[in-house]
Amino acid sequence: MPTFLLYGDTLRHPAIRHEVPLEIMDPLLVVVRDGSPLVLTSSLEAARVREAVPGAELLLIDELGYHELVEGGLHSDDALLEVAVRALERWGVEAAVVPGDLPVAVADRVRAAGIAVEVDGPTVAARRRVKSPAQLEGIRRAQRAAEAGMAAGERLIRAAGARDGLLHHEGAPLTAERVRAEVRAACAAAGAPAPPDIMVVSVRSGGGHDPGAGPLPAGLPIEIDLWPRDEATGCWADMTRTFVAGPVGPEVAALRDVVREALETVRAAARPGVTGRSLYDLAAGIVERAGHPTQRTREPGAPLTHGFYFGLGHGVGLEVHEPPSLGLSGAEELVAGDVIAIEPGIEGIAGIGGVRFEDLLLITADGCETLTDYPYDL
């Protein structure tokens, strides 16, 4: 097993948060060698790092002359880099594998000290594919919060009336912004806040990752895609449902049936040893047979903006989008302990918009467990 070298805070660097399961705003140096973590931190963080990572060997910047370097006129950032190199030398690190987000200044300083650095993002990311029990509990809590948020959005849409092709609520047009605010408030109340760009979209939206804005249509699909984050563990959930306020027309019903068939076919096939690409191919085949384009049928070099024009899904954990990929590039096999979001959809249909469903699956030894508990009724 290679020696891993990580540097940064745990807010922006999920690889470090995986090794040190705390929110720490100041940079840490973490080395994992033979499965045992070595951590360089300050006296401010030492006690809680010891509690959170009982098997870690701790070294404090105070012990390596940080304060003396700063008092001598060295900028604090440069002093931290110097003590990081001193720590690596004390630990006898001669070569290490690092993630692609290792700061350039750190890589330059470490290499200048004669320590070889090999960038291998997939190998680093593989360390957190199998979720820890605490992370799984965090994902489950975030998923329950997502369901509470979805229910809040659905209630608002159900309570709205139709006028001139638009939804109205309490005497005013019902907007994506109003629904988004209700969804976010419910997620936060459940202990997993959702970011401001969660999606409430319809035929009136711009497509892609446009979060949606303005009045919502009556009688046409409204998609809510939300991804709240558990505050205790930093782990995310991700789910999507589609709603229609009013009768469901035959064209929308046909989209729903195709998307649901793709979802259920993928769910039945998800298990260890299956690649993300093979799951994508199952979903894409169903959509293509229904007459809609996918990334597999696009014209080379031409953008695709309708149909199943995105990937099937992605891993979820300390990042909303993390390995494994469930798309054209999904060559990695699933492993027991993966948590994946599967989100087939058909979108960008003129005059209609689209339909998408998204569930979270935990890959188990012999199949998968669906973590999402929410109906699919339009």
Side-chain angles (χ1 to χ4, degrees), residues 203-289:
V203 69
R204 301 170 63 88
S205 302
H209 284 155
D210 180 351
L216 295 170
L220 291 174
I222 299 167
E223 297 175 61
I224 300 179
D225 184 351
L226 65 151
W227 48 95
R229 179 176 179 264
D230 176 59
E231 291 188 307
T233 61
C235 288
W236 299 82
D238 198 2
M239 72 176 292
T240 304
R241 289 294 185 268
T242 304
F243 305 105
V244 176
V248 177
E251 291 178 290
V252 174
L255 295 177
R256 172 202 61 201
D257 292 345
V258 173
V259 172
R260 186 69 191 278
E261 181 185 355
L263 182 79
E264 297 306 332
T265 300
V266 169
R267 192 197 318 273
R271 63 190 64 253
V274 172
T275 67
R277 173 61 191 264
S278 67
L279 294 181
Y280 167 78
D281 285 337
L282 287 173
I286 291 168
V287 173
E288 290 162 7
R289 287 192 292 275

Side-chain angles (χ1 to χ4, degrees), residues 24-188:
I24 297 179
M25 66 182 71
D26 294 321
L28 305 170
L29 171 68
V30 178
V31 170
V32 181
R33 182 171 55 196
D34 300 326
S36 299
L38 311 168
V39 181
L40 174 69
T41 186
S42 72
S43 55
L44 297 173
E45 309 293 355
R48 63 192 194 121
V49 171
R50 284 194 183 95
E51 182 177 359
V53 195
E57 177 183 329
L58 253 63
L59 190 56
L60 302 184
I61 60 173
D62 317 55
E63 303 174 56
L64 296 177
Y66 169 79
H67 297 292
E68 289 77 9
L69 291 168
V70 172
E71 288 172 355
L74 201 61
H75 189 278
S76 59
D77 290 345
D78 295 325
L80 286 172
L81 291 178
E82 174 59 29
V83 297
V85 168
R86 293 178 182 180
L88 294 172
E89 291 172 344
R90 178 175 294 193
W91 291 329
V93 177
E94 297 179 350
V97 169
V98 301
D101 63 356
L102 183 76
V104 174
V106 177
D108 286 349
R109 182 67 185 85
V110 169
R111 284 175 171 147
I115 299 169
V117 169
E118 177 188 355
V119 179
D120 188 347
T123 298
V124 176
R127 286 188 57 77
R128 52 192 175 92
R129 286 274 301 276
V130 177
K131 304 302 184 282
S132 71
Q135 289 169 349
L136 274 178
E137 284 305 307
I139 291 170
R140 292 181 190 274
R141 285 193 297 268
Q143 181 55 43
R144 300 290 82 80
E147 291 153 12
M150 190 67 73
E154 179 180 352
R155 284 193 298 270
L156 201 51
I157 293 170
R158 283 186 179 277
R163 188 190 313 160
D164 300 325
L166 298 177
L167 295 182
H168 283 70
H169 183 69
E170 297 178 342
L174 180 62
T175 64
E177 291 88 345
R178 172 72 189 280
V179 174
R180 184 179 299 110
E182 290 283 331
V183 170
R184 295 185 68 215
C187 289

